[in-house]
């Protein structure tokens, strides 16, 4: 994917940044490792490049990308990936940000086993710290999952990827409901699938599903909807489910 994108348009040269190898990619972007050097100080970072034409083909506009950058810049917290710089040219938008050098939380979870309880507690506490903070800023993430949680060089968890984030609360305290169903189906709150919803508690629900995955190494269901057999069984039992993977908790 990164090869095809680079053939569409050369990646821009960024001031103070030396671009390295590809460390990730998606439908319309690529993530590169890089070294940021300024005033005699160097730091290893990540740079996400988004190809504008390909993004527009998937209904992602420049304004949406700028909003993502604004939201992430406002959410400065030890457990949130820090945005260092943001820019654009005629072909690309780029996000220079802190690097989660120890990879995604997803890769730390043993399938069908999960992680030890003390490890789950450590990561979950840091996740709640991050989510509580962004909520205090009036921001809902709306796509909390292990793939959007990275581990830094010190072993700490950081929330990343604010592409679906939304400002749900103004500075005067007034809140708005969300109407767009977005996120990853296994981690969605039930109300997100079917109606207008308050994104603050729906983020908390997603955190709970992350904890479930940490402890069991499995998702609870494919989607929180009555058509999903596992979710329907959970609702019928009022959460008192004694079969695997629930009996691992």
């Amino acid at each position: 994917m990164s090869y095809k994108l680079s053939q569409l348009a050369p990646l821009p040269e960024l001031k103070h940044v030396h671009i390295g190898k590809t460390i990730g990619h998606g439908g319309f972007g690529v993530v590169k490792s890089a070294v940021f050097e300024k005033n005699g100080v160097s730091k290893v970072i990540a740079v996400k490049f988004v190809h504008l034409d390909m993004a527009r083909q998937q209904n992602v506009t420049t304004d949406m990308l700028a909003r993502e950058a604004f939201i992430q810049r406002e959410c400065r917290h030890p457990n949130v990936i820090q945005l260092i710089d943001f820019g654009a040219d005629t072909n690309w938008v780029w996000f220079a940000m802190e690097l989660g050098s120890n990879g995604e939380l997803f890769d730390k979870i043993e399938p069908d086993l999960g992680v030890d309880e003390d490890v789950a507690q450590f990561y979950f506490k840091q996740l709640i710290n991050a989510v509580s903070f962004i909520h205090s800023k009036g921001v809902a993430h709306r796509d909390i999952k292990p793939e959007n949680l990275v581990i830094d060089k010190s072993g700490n968890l950081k929330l990343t990827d604010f592409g679906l984030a939304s400002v749900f609360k103004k500075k005067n305290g007034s809140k708005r409901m969300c109407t767009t169903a977005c996120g990853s189906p296994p981690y969605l709150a039930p109300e997100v699938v079917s109606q207008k919803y308050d994104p603050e508690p729906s983020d908390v629900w997603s955190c709970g599903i992350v904890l479930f995955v940490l402890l069991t190494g499995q998702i609870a269901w494919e989607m929180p909807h009555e058509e999903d057999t596992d979710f329907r069984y959970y609702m019928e039992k009022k959460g008192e489910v004694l079969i695997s993977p629930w009996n691992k908790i």
Side-chain angles (χ1 to χ4, degrees):
M1 177 61 69
S2 60
Y3 174 80
K4 293 179 181 178
L5 287 171
S6 66
Q7 295 308 301
L8 291 173
L11 293 176
E13 294 185 5
L14 308 184
K15 189 176 182 180
H16 305 303
V17 176
H18 303 280
I19 301 298
K21 65 180 181 180
T22 299
I23 56 176
H25 56 76
F28 47 82
V30 60
V31 181
K32 299 272 190 178
S33 64
V35 176
F36 179 78
E37 293 183 339
K38 189 175 182 180
N39 299 327
V41 178
S42 64
K43 181 179 182 179
V44 179
I45 64 171
V47 183
K48 179 171 74 172
F49 293 96
V50 177
H51 190 269
L52 286 171
D53 283 346
M54 295 190 72
R56 292 187 191 105
Q57 291 173 23
Q58 299 189 41
N59 299 315
V60 176
T61 66
T62 306
D63 286 346
M64 293 167 67
L65 294 167
R67 184 175 69 242
E68 176 184 349
F70 173 79
I71 288 174
Q72 189 167 354
R73 181 167 281 164
E74 290 295 302
C75 294
R76 299 178 70 87
H77 183 272
N79 296 118
V80 176
I81 284 290
Q82 178 185 345
L83 182 68
I84 298 168
D85 195 15
F86 169 79
D89 63 13
T90 55
N91 296 304
W92 298 95
V93 166
W94 60 86
F95 300 75
M97 65 190 87
E98 183 181 6
L99 175 67
S101 57
N102 278 327
E104 297 174 356
L105 178 63
F106 178 83
D107 295 323
K108 311 297 181 188
I109 303 171
E110 186 74 21
D112 298 323
L113 292 175
V115 300
D116 292 341
E117 286 187 15
D118 58 339
V119 176
Q121 182 183 39
F122 175 79
Y123 287 141
F124 187 68
K125 182 178 180 180
Q126 293 192 332
L127 171 59
I128 293 301
N129 286 342
V131 174
S132 296
F133 176 78
I134 68 170
H135 286 175
S136 75
K137 292 291 187 178
V139 171
H141 187 275
R142 300 202 299 170
D143 195 19
I144 295 170
K145 58 182 178 180
E147 294 91 332
N148 285 339
L149 301 166
V150 297
I151 311 301
D152 71 7
K153 64 181 181 181
S154 299
N156 292 306
L157 177 144
K158 292 180 181 275
L159 180 63
T160 189
D161 196 343
F162 283 73
L164 296 177
S166 177
V167 177
F168 71 93
K169 184 168 60 178
K170 297 180 180 179
K171 290 184 178 180
N172 63 11
S174 63
K175 297 175 67 173
R176 71 177 185 87
M177 303 292 279
C178 288
T179 57
T180 303
C182 61
S184 300
Y187 298 90
L188 295 180
E191 64 270 18
V192 175
V193 180
S194 58
Q195 62 188 39
K196 289 183 179 180
Y197 62 96
D198 182 342
E200 188 172 16
S202 70
D203 269 358
V204 175
W205 174 283
S206 298
C207 291
I209 301 298
V210 170
L211 179 59
F212 181 91
V213 173
L214 281 168
L215 291 171
T216 68
Q218 297 175 247
I219 56 174
W221 40 69
E222 294 294 334
M223 178 177 284
H225 191 274
E226 61 182 10
E227 293 180 0
D228 185 289
T229 302
D230 293 322
F231 182 73
R232 186 171 65 250
Y233 184 72
Y234 170 83
M235 295 299 292
E236 290 172 353
K237 295 294 183 179
K238 298 181 180 179
E240 297 181 4
V241 182
L242 301 179
I243 61 174
S244 180
W246 295 87
N247 58 7
K248 299 178 183 179
I249 299 177

